[in-house]
Amino acid sequence: MDNGGGSEAAAQPLEWKFSQVFGERTAGEEVQEVDIISAIEFDKSGDHLATGDRGGRVVLFERTDTRDHGGHRRDLEMMDYSMSRHPEFRYKTEFQSHEPEFDYLKSLEIEEKINKIKWCQSANGALYLLSTNDKTIKLWKVQEKKVKKVCDLNVYPEKAAGNGPIVGSTVSTSCKPYLANGGCRERSFGCASNDFSFPPGGVSSLRLPVVTSQETSLVAGCRRIYAHAHDYHINSISNNSDGETFISADDLRINLWNLEISNQSFNIVDVKPANMEDLTEVITSAEFHPTHCNMLAYSSSKGSIRLIDMRQSALCDTHSKLFEEQEAPGSRSFFTEIIASISDIKFAKDGRHILSRDYMTLKLWDINMDSGPVATFQVHEYLRPKLCDLYENDSIFDKFECCLSGDGLRVATGSYSNLFRVFGCSEGSTEATTLEASKNPMRRQVQTPSRPSRPLGSLSGVVRRVKGTDNAGVDANGNTFDFSMKLLHLAWHPSENTIACAASNSLYMYYA
C-alpha cells in the first residue's frame, strides 16, 4: 500500500525504541491469572489507550507529551516536534467492567475476562467505550466529576480552637480541629449537634455558607448493558462509522445493535446449520468498514474472509465478496485446516485493504481483488516442524491479533517468547523486524538476510530465517522458544509509529 510518496519512508526499516512499561514483573514474580491483559485498544485520536484483563477490569491511560500546560492540543507546527519526542502515557483510571456470573439454565460459568474493547465517539468531555466478556457487552462513560464542598462557615478562630461553642453551626466539638476561619469541609454533616449558643456580646456578622466545586475525580458509569443475545462466546465487537450502531459476533451469528437500545438487536449473519452435525466452519472475527457504514467483513475458521453489504438484504446470508487463498496441490496435512483458521482481521484506514492473521502468517488483501492476498508475511515459519508439539499442548489454537500503521505502510503481529514482528508492506519493501517485549526490544537480535516468501507482483512479503542448519528449536532471535510466553494482543497508534503490546500482565510501549 503506497500512500503517495510514502514508499520512500518505507524503504528504510524503522528503528524501534523502548518507550515505557506499566505493570512490569520483577524477576521470579508469579503472575496472577486475573492480571493477564486480554485486550488493548487506542482511541481514534491516539490520546487514550484502554486495556482489559482476565479479571474483568478496564484500565485507561492518557497521553501526556502532546499537551501544553492548559491541557489543550498544541498547534500543528508543534506536532512534528512532539512526534520526534518519546511518547508518554500515564495511568488515568480503572474500573471493574465485568464480574463472574453463572448461567443456571445452562449450568455454565461465565468468566469475567474482557474479550474486546472498542472506543466510541467522545462527547461533552466524557469518554465512551464498549467492553465485552463472553456473553455481555457494556457501554461505559468515563468523565470528571467535581466534588462539592461547603465553604464560608461561621467559625471563629478562638471558638474553633476549643474555647467555646461554634456560632450558628451544626458542627459538634469533635469537628472543631478540622475547621478554621472561613475554611471548607466536605458536604457530610455526620457530626451534627444542637449547640446553638452565642458568644458574649452577640454576633458581629453572619455569613451564608457557600457550596463550591473544588476537587475533580474520574468516575466510570455503566450506561447500557447489551445482554442475552448470544448463545456462543462473543469474539468481536466493532463500531460503525455512523456513530450510532455496532456489531457483536460469536461463533455462529453476528448481531447489529443501536447504541441507544440495549434490549433489542438484529441478527444480520447466521451460519448455524439446521443440523449441527453439518457444521464445517465458525465465525472467528468481524469488523465494520472504517468509512462505509453499510459494509463489514468477517473471517472464518476455514481461512476465508467474507465481505457483506447490508443494503442487499436484512439477513446477509450471501456475501458480496469472498477472499480465500487456494491450497497448493499436495500440501495438505492433518494441521492444514487448523493453522488456516483466521484469528483476527483489521481494515486499513483507507478501507481498501484487509489484514488477516492465521496461525503461521499475516496476509494483506485488496478488497478489489478476490483472487488471493496481495502480500503474505511468514511470522514464525521456524515452528512448522513443531506443529505436533504445538497441537499436543494446545498452543496451535492460540489466537494472535494483528494491526496496521495509520499510513498503511507497515503491519505487525505477535509470536511466542514475547516476540512480535513488524513488516513493511509498501512497494519493494523487505522490512521484517523481530522485537522482544522487554526494555531492550533488540536484545540478542540475530542479523539474518530476508527473502521474499513468494512472488507477489508489486507487493512482496518477507521471511526471516535464522542462520544454522536446524531452526526447529530456536526462535527468530536465535533463542529457545517459550510457548508459555505468548504475545497475543497489540495495537498500533492511529497516526504515529507507536505500538502497545501485552506480555502477560505488563503493557509495553515502543516508538520509532
Side-chain angles (χ1 to χ4, degrees), residues 159-294:
K159 302 302 179 190
N163 300 331
I166 297 173
V167 179
S169 170
T170 57
V171 183
S172 72
T173 51
S174 63
C175 292
K176 290 175 190 172
Y178 301 100
L179 300 170
N181 191 19
C184 297
R185 68 187 184 86
E186 291 203 18
R187 197 179 176 186
S188 56
F189 301 101
C191 47
S193 74
N194 294 319
D195 191 353
F196 281 94
S197 54
F198 289 89
V203 183
S204 57
S205 66
L206 281 174
R207 292 187 304 276
L208 286 174
V210 180
V211 177
T212 61
S213 300
Q214 291 197 341
E215 295 176 9
T216 57
S217 64
L218 278 166
V219 178
C222 184
R223 301 305 301 265
R224 301 271 188 284
I225 297 177
Y226 312 90
H228 314 302
H230 287 277
D231 291 330
Y232 304 94
H233 290 177
I234 299 170
N235 55 46
S236 304
I237 49 175
S238 177
N239 283 310
N240 199 346
S241 57
D242 64 10
E244 295 178 6
T245 56
F246 71 94
I247 52 168
S248 58
D250 65 21
D251 292 344
L252 299 178
R253 293 190 177 98
I254 299 176
N255 292 334
L256 177 70
W257 301 83
N258 187 301
L259 280 164
E260 297 297 322
I261 303 167
S262 59
N263 59 356
Q264 183 182 25
S265 66
F266 298 95
N267 178 224
I268 55 171
V269 175
D270 189 348
V271 300
K272 186 177 182 180
N275 182 359
M276 282 297 276
E277 289 180 5
D278 299 331
L279 183 68
T280 57
E281 64 181 328
V282 295
I283 298 167
T284 56
S285 182
E287 182 160 290
F288 261 119
H289 190 281
T291 53
H292 299 329
C293 62
N294 55 287

Side-chain angles (χ1 to χ4, degrees), residues 22 37 39 41 48-53 56-62 90-97 114 117 119 129 507:
F22 296 95
I37 296 172
E41 191 79 12
H48 293 93
L49 175 69
T51 66
D53 63 25
R57 290 182 301 261
V58 172
V59 183
L60 304 185
F61 301 89
E62 89 177 323
R90 69 174 174 87
Y91 168 86
K92 187 178 177 77
T93 187
E94 68 180 83
F95 55 90
Q96 188 70 32
S97 174
I114 306 292
I117 294 173
W119 290 88
L129 50 103
L507 176 68

